[in-house]
Structure formats: structure tokens, C-alpha cells
Amino acid sequence: MFAWLPENVSTFGGDIDSIFRFIYYIVGFWFLATQGFLIYCLIRFRRRPGRRPPYLHGNNLSQAAWILLPLVIVLVLDLWIDFRSADVWAKVKVGGPRPDVVIEVTGKQFNWIMTYPGPDGRFGTADDKKVENELHVPVNKVVQVVLRGEDVIHSFFLPQLRLKQDVVPGRAIRAWFQATKPGKYEIPCAELCGFGHSGMKGWLHVHAEAQYKEWARKMWPGS
Ligand SMILES: [Cu+2]
């Protein structure tokens, strides 16, 4: 089943996948255990001629235990998941390493607009370039995206980078990733945002160093 996950080309992808696996095994185990028990009870206590069902009040402690015990188990497992994922959450979602490249990404119905700061590395200057749906980044570098929304809520999703972040109008939300393998990866919008949502798709181009320089030379000739 884990073979269904898209290829992982992110430095923190392994951490995300390990949490994913952890939750999957916990939920999977209890799904099989409870459904197995349900089927066992259906067969074991099925209607038989001459056997009358007992009358239960359901108000003493031994019966309340059927609710309280699962409650405690769920709580403990939930906290266990929380503790295990706290470090990963902090690493991926809080702050992040110092970026090598910063790109602004604006979601609007139904496109991703990438704004590159150009050779001066600053936004709001003459060499800024806006490109629709094409995000070009160097491999093995820390890339920070500043996510903005023009209309409704979108979700910036990089499946192969194990990154998903809501894009909220009125806010500039920073996210980061570091790709480990050159290639072309899809950027779907992962939040139903209107009629054209399913077609709202960009591409992430992860370039090896030489190709990235080549791309930058074409974008900013003479720099
Ligand atoms: Cu959408």
C-alpha cells in the first residue's frame, strides 16, 4: 500500500512518511480488531431457537467499562501520535532553515502565479518576473515559497515533496522544501476552490545546478 505513495524527493519526506505509516498501522490494527470482534459477536450471539436475550440495564461500572476503556485507549494512542509528530511538525511547518531561494506563489481561480525576485533577490523591483504555473527551483537548495491568495482558499500541494499548505487570502504564509532529485512534478490545488479547481495545476521544475543557471540566464538575459 505504501507503494501507492508518490515518489519522495523531499529532505523531510521520510519524516512525513514515517508518521503516515505510524498512523496507518495503529488505525489498521484497530480496524481489523474491532471489525473482527463485531463479526465474531454477530456469529457467536446470533438468534437461536429457544435462547432468549438477557435484559441489560447498562448502568453499572462493568458495562461502563466498555465505553471508558476504549476512550482511554483512543486518548493514549492519540497523544502518542501527537508526541511523535510534534518534532516533524516543528521541522516542516515552523520556521524552517534559512532559504537559498525565495519565490512568491499566488493562488487565484484557477492558476498559480509564480513571482521570481530576479538577480537582485528582492521583490517589488524592476527585475521581478511573473510566470503562470511554472515553478523553477534548484535541486538540493532550501526553497521558501510565500503563499498568497487573491480570491478564495486554495491549497498548494507538492505530493512528491510531501508539502501541503493552505493559501488564505489576506495572509502571506511561508512554507519551505528542499528537493533531492531533478525532475518535473505536479502542483495541484488541493482545496476545492470553484468550477475550474480540477484544472488548477502547475509544474515544479527541479533543476540540476547547470540547468538552473541556464534557465536563469534565459529569464534574465545579460545578468
Ligand atoms: Cu482548487
Side-chain angles (χ1 to χ4, degrees):
M1 135 107 213
F2 294 111
W4 298 348
L5 287 176
E7 184 187 7
N8 166 33
V9 298
S10 171
T11 48
F12 55 65
D15 297 318
I16 299 279
D17 288 356
S18 83
I19 299 296
F20 187 90
R21 243 176 256 124
F22 182 60
I23 295 171
Y24 174 82
Y25 285 127
I26 289 176
V27 173
F29 171 80
W30 286 103
F31 175 76
L32 293 177
T34 51
Q35 296 302 304
F37 184 62
L38 177 68
I39 291 166
Y40 165 78
C41 289
L42 286 174
I43 296 168
R44 174 76 177 73
F45 302 107
R46 69 188 181 279
R47 192 168 72 102
R48 284 196 187 122
R51 195 169 78 177
R52 292 174 63 85
Y55 183 74
L56 300 173
H57 284 284
N59 58 1
N60 62 33
L61 197 64
S62 78
Q63 279 155 28
W66 282 97
I67 295 171
L68 293 175
L69 196 66
L71 179 87
V72 170
I73 293 172
V74 167
L75 199 66
V76 167
L77 290 173
D78 195 30
L79 288 172
W80 192 14
I81 291 170
D82 287 346
F83 278 119
R84 268 210 55 179
S85 52
D87 290 344
V88 179
W89 182 265
K91 180 176 172 182
V92 176
K93 292 286 191 179
V94 183
R98 175 188 286 275
D100 299 306
V101 177
V102 182
I103 300 159
E104 287 188 353
V105 178
T106 304
K108 71 170 178 77
Q109 290 168 319
F110 298 97
N111 266 321
W112 297 110
I113 298 164
M114 322 298 182
T115 307
Y116 299 91
D120 66 356
R122 284 166 49 213
F123 291 100
T125 52
D127 65 351
D128 289 10
K129 283 251 163 89
K130 278 186 202 292
V131 179
E132 278 195 2
N133 295 326
E134 304 288 328
L135 182 57
H136 294 264
V137 303
V139 72
N140 296 327
K141 297 273 193 232
V142 176
V143 178
Q144 187 184 74
V145 285
V146 184
L147 300 164
R148 293 175 207 274
E150 273 189 11
D151 34 42
V152 299
I153 297 176
H154 301 277
S155 179
F156 181 77
F157 186 23
L158 296 173
Q160 283 85 356
L161 277 300
R162 302 298 192 266
L163 178 70
K164 187 189 268 175
Q165 174 61 55
D166 268 9
V167 176
V168 183
R171 290 185 61 186
I173 300 173
R174 284 165 199 273
W176 73 278
F177 62 86
Q178 189 173 5
T180 56
K181 189 180 158 191
K184 186 181 173 190
Y185 310 103
E186 212 175 74
I187 314 173
C189 173
E191 181 71 62
L192 186 58
C193 58
F195 196 72
H197 164 67
S198 61
M200 181 168 172
K201 189 169 77 171
W203 294 99
L204 170 70
H205 302 265
V206 177
H207 298 290
E209 205 184 330
Q211 277 75 34
Y212 182 72
K213 285 200 174 122
E214 180 67 33
W215 167 81
R217 246 199 315 275
K218 275 191 198 137
M219 284 283 281
W220 293 276
S223 64

